[in-house]
Amino acid sequence: MRAPFQVLVLLYTWTVDGKPRYAVLRRADLGVWQPVAGGGEDEETPAQAAGREAWEEAGLPLGTELISLGVVGRVPVTEFRDRAHWPPHLETIPEHAFAAPISPAALRLSAEHDAIEWMDYASAAARLHWPSNRAALAALHQRLTSSPPA
């Protein structure tokens, strides 16, 4: 059963001139752009769910150390089919954000996504559909560059 939390995994790489590029994936069912995203299963922790989702959706090897960015969002439970299995008082669930470096050549898309683009921060932020995804990207970009995003 799906646990009442969401995870994001932002994948990034470095250009030859030392700048980060971010992977943005297009969901095949909705046509919107996002990082790797999903929910926990059964008794998984957010970190375990993030690792599994990154493996399932992008081919990131299981056991890859993920960078925790902290909880950066809350998502209304009305966005989830599994809401009926959660406590009735829940209105939102936490969205835990993680990141991991990956070689663009190593990234493998699952059937959940039909396209990927590697972008600079501004382009990726403009492309991401959900505000919480943009907030997670901003946190990662600041961490990688030690400067606030523009």
Side-chain angles (χ1 to χ4, degrees):
M1 181 170 60
R2 181 173 172 142
F5 65 83
Q6 177 81 353
V7 296
L8 299 175
V9 182
L10 292 104
L11 304 174
Y12 67 93
T13 192
W14 295 98
T15 63
V16 293
D17 60 349
K19 295 182 180 175
R21 302 282 284 185
Y22 305 98
V24 182
L25 295 71
R26 186 174 60 202
R27 284 185 56 128
D29 59 347
L30 301 176
V32 299
W33 294 85
Q34 65 178 45
V36 168
E41 294 179 358
D42 299 315
E43 300 300 316
E44 281 182 320
T45 66
Q48 290 167 332
R52 178 185 46 75
E53 290 288 346
W55 174 74
E56 289 175 358
E57 295 184 18
L60 195 71
L62 288 172
T64 298
E65 188 169 337
L66 301 176
I67 301 164
S68 175
L69 300 176
V71 175
V72 297
R74 297 206 60 87
V75 182
V77 296
T78 54
E79 297 292 321
F80 302 97
R81 289 186 300 261
D82 294 312
R83 194 272 176 263
H85 302 288
W86 299 338
H89 68 279
L90 279 183
E91 294 181 11
T92 64
I93 60 170
E95 184 174 62
H96 302 270
F98 298 86
I102 187 173
S103 164
L107 198 142
R108 170 191 49 79
L109 287 182
S110 71
E112 190 170 331
H113 299 96
D114 60 10
I116 180 167
E117 291 192 27
W118 287 91
M119 304 177 152
D120 62 29
Y121 170 76
S123 299
R127 181 71 58 94
L128 291 172
H129 180 75
W130 285 285
S132 62
N133 295 184
R134 291 190 293 275
L137 177 66
L140 174 59
H141 185 71
Q142 183 167 356
R143 183 176 288 204
L144 296 178
T145 64
S146 298
S147 64

